[in-house]
Amino acid sequence: MIIAIDGPSGAGKSTLGRMLARALDLLYIDTGSMYRAVALAVLESAVSATDDVAVGSLAERIDIDLAGEPDSLRVTLDGRDVTDKIRDEDVTQMSSIISAIPAVRRAMVERQRELGKRGGVMNGRDIGTVVFPDADVKFFLTAVAEERAERRLAEERELNPAADYDQTLAEITERDRRDTRRADSPLMAAEDAIVIDSTGQSIEEVFQRMMSEVEKRR
């Protein structure tokens, strides 16, 4: 079974993806971590983020792997564990930029399809529309930007207590703009996706709704 979870930043894709994978005993694949790994590779290289050809070439050459249980997923870049490093703020900002490059997306889609051959829960922004258009279940999670910013801020303050709400909201708004307007696989809900607006709902409430939809299709 392949379960696709798409949606904008801060919609709860990662948390709910892990919960579903754990409950259903499926592989959890966080595609956002793959783009973050590419971003880290760009930051550590002499490649300019504005050179689409060079960044795309780098994305094709590097080795990225995901392994472990849903709650302890480890990300490796060329054999090096970068699970914590890819959460740095500079990597977050860079991933938003390089993920809009068509060559990078093509390289990552190929790897994601390879990982998904084993089945699992995969989250991202184009899983149900591009990576696995024939996924068994497709979800599109969303929420108002202000609530998504509050969720993201809570995560950021675990690493940076001085994180600012207005800045986080501005970053999410800008990321939404990039994701929805990019020419290559823009963020959108697949026609057959189950759209869930989690504004004002708890994670548990959304999880139960998703589990109910999965059980219908099993």
Side-chain angles (χ1 to χ4, degrees):
M1 170 175 269
I2 294 178
I3 299 174
I5 306 176
D6 292 310
S9 179
K13 301 185 300 295
S14 297
T15 299
L16 288 159
R18 287 193 295 267
M19 291 172 72
L20 280 178
R22 188 167 58 247
L24 299 167
D25 194 25
L26 292 172
L27 176 69
Y28 172 62
I29 304 172
D30 179 8
T31 64
S33 293
M34 299 176 75
Y35 286 102
R36 285 173 175 270
V38 176
L40 177 60
V42 170
L43 288 169
E44 293 181 341
S45 72
V47 172
S48 169
T50 60
D51 188 337
D52 289 7
V53 174
V55 175
S57 177
L58 179 65
E60 291 178 355
R61 295 195 311 271
I62 58 178
D63 179 54
I64 300 170
D65 192 28
L66 307 177
E69 298 300 315
D71 292 317
S72 56
L73 190 71
R74 309 306 297 177
V75 183
T76 59
L77 171 62
D78 290 332
R80 173 170 55 108
D81 191 324
V82 294
T83 306
D84 296 327
K85 186 67 176 174
I86 61 173
R87 297 297 165 183
D88 289 352
E89 183 59 30
D90 58 342
V91 176
T92 298
Q93 295 301 318
M94 181 61 73
S95 68
S96 175
I97 296 170
I98 61 94
S99 64
I101 298 174
V104 172
R105 300 203 71 83
R106 287 194 295 271
M108 292 302 101
V109 166
E110 287 185 15
R111 296 178 188 216
Q112 289 156 17
R113 285 175 175 161
E114 191 64 31
L115 286 170
K117 286 181 178 179
R118 292 172 284 173
V121 179
M122 184 177 290
N123 73 25
R125 287 170 170 76
D126 60 354
I127 309 304
T129 54
V130 177
V131 184
F132 284 106
D134 296 323
D136 298 286
V137 190
K138 301 178 188 178
F139 291 107
F140 188 89
L141 302 181
T142 188
V144 296
E146 291 77 10
E147 187 161 323
R148 289 188 283 120
E150 289 176 358
R151 296 172 185 171
R152 179 54 55 83
L153 184 64
E155 296 175 0
E156 291 177 351
R157 281 183 171 166
E158 291 181 5
L159 300 175
N160 177 19
D164 178 71
Y165 171 79
D166 290 334
Q167 180 179 347
T168 301
L169 177 59
E171 289 171 354
I172 277 185
T173 302
E174 174 60 19
R175 183 64 188 268
D176 288 350
R177 186 193 67 79
R178 284 182 186 150
D179 287 343
T180 56
R181 296 184 183 181
R182 64 175 179 244
D184 193 281
S185 57
L187 171 66
M188 66 174 68
E191 291 184 2
D192 54 346
I194 300 161
V195 180
I196 301 178
D197 186 334
S198 62
T199 303
Q201 297 187 56
S202 68
I203 284 291
E204 187 59 33
E205 288 174 321
V206 179
F207 172 67
Q208 292 301 331
R209 164 87 185 277
M210 295 173 79
M211 282 295 293
S212 175
E213 296 291 351
V214 170
E215 289 301 330
K216 290 178 185 177
R217 288 157 178 76
R218 294 183 87 185

